[in-house]
Amino acid sequence: MNRRELMLLLCGAMTAARALRAQQKAMPVIGYLSPASPRPAAPYLAAFHQGLSETGYVEGQNVAIEYRGAQGRYDRLPALAAELVGRKVDVIAASGGTASALAAKAATSAIPIVFTSVGDPVGQGLVASLSRPGANVTGMSLVTRELNAKRLELLSDMVPQAGLVAPRKPEQSNH
């Protein structure tokens, strides 16, 4: 899943949540939960803003963002997730791995949660399966057992074809 697909997923969850709420806000609100402090998270926030803008959302114009960063203190994530739930955000973007996603999931079963960079979301209990996440949690995983098996299968298929992809240099003769 690339950044554009993730942003579309996030925006879709945000739109669905907004439509379901009886009391509409002036603009949707994204809760951004991260274990990092703002400075180390800056490149991720920049990519997050770019992805939002590619799908038509600009902070302050048609979407608001509530930021919560744990300053590297993972034990603070549950309280920060509870703050976002208390603020009645429309969707929670759980950035920075499994800890923030688990904290968000523990804080709410109603607000949609979109996570990034979770190694094994099924094994961690975040989703029921990769094809059907279920409940209110979805996201992207770069490393999973299912994907690793597929990667090994593709690698096995490619090894015999390696010569076609990167042919050997002709041997130099000393004539």
Side-chain angles (χ1 to χ4, degrees):
M1 182 179 291
N2 63 30
R3 182 178 63 217
R4 182 179 301 249
E5 290 169 332
L6 180 62
M7 287 302 116
L8 288 172
L9 182 66
L10 177 66
C11 293
M14 188 170 50
T15 303
R18 185 174 183 210
L20 293 174
R21 291 189 186 254
Q23 189 176 10
Q24 298 273 328
K25 297 176 185 160
M27 67 176 71
V29 179
I30 299 171
Y32 187 90
L33 181 63
S34 172
S37 59
R39 180 171 278 172
Y44 303 106
L45 286 170
F48 179 70
H49 284 114
Q50 181 182 345
L52 285 173
S53 70
E54 288 173 4
T55 56
Y57 287 94
V58 177
E59 185 177 11
Q61 291 181 10
N62 58 1
V63 68
I65 303 174
E66 290 275 338
Y67 298 95
R68 297 294 183 277
Q71 310 289 324
R73 294 190 46 213
Y74 286 78
D75 60 315
R76 294 187 63 217
L77 286 168
L80 295 173
E83 273 184 39
L84 292 172
V85 171
R87 301 280 300 173
K88 297 185 182 348
V89 297
D90 293 293
V91 63
I92 297 174
S95 177
T98 304
S100 56
L102 287 171
K105 182 179 181 186
T108 182
S109 61
I111 298 171
I113 299 165
V114 180
F115 61 80
T116 61
S117 305
V118 172
D120 183 4
V122 176
Q124 293 292 327
L126 286 167
V127 297
S129 75
L130 294 178
S131 59
R132 297 197 186 278
N136 63 320
V137 182
T138 191
M140 108 178 182
S141 174
L142 301 176
V143 182
T144 64
R145 290 180 203 143
E146 292 86 353
L147 289 178
N148 284 340
K150 190 63 174 174
R151 287 180 184 126
L152 286 173
E153 180 184 324
L154 288 171
L155 182 60
S156 297
D157 290 346
M158 289 175 62
V159 168
Q161 305 299 321
L164 297 174
V165 176
R168 290 185 179 169
K169 290 183 180 179
E171 292 183 28
Q172 293 183 359
S173 62
N174 293 329
H175 295 295

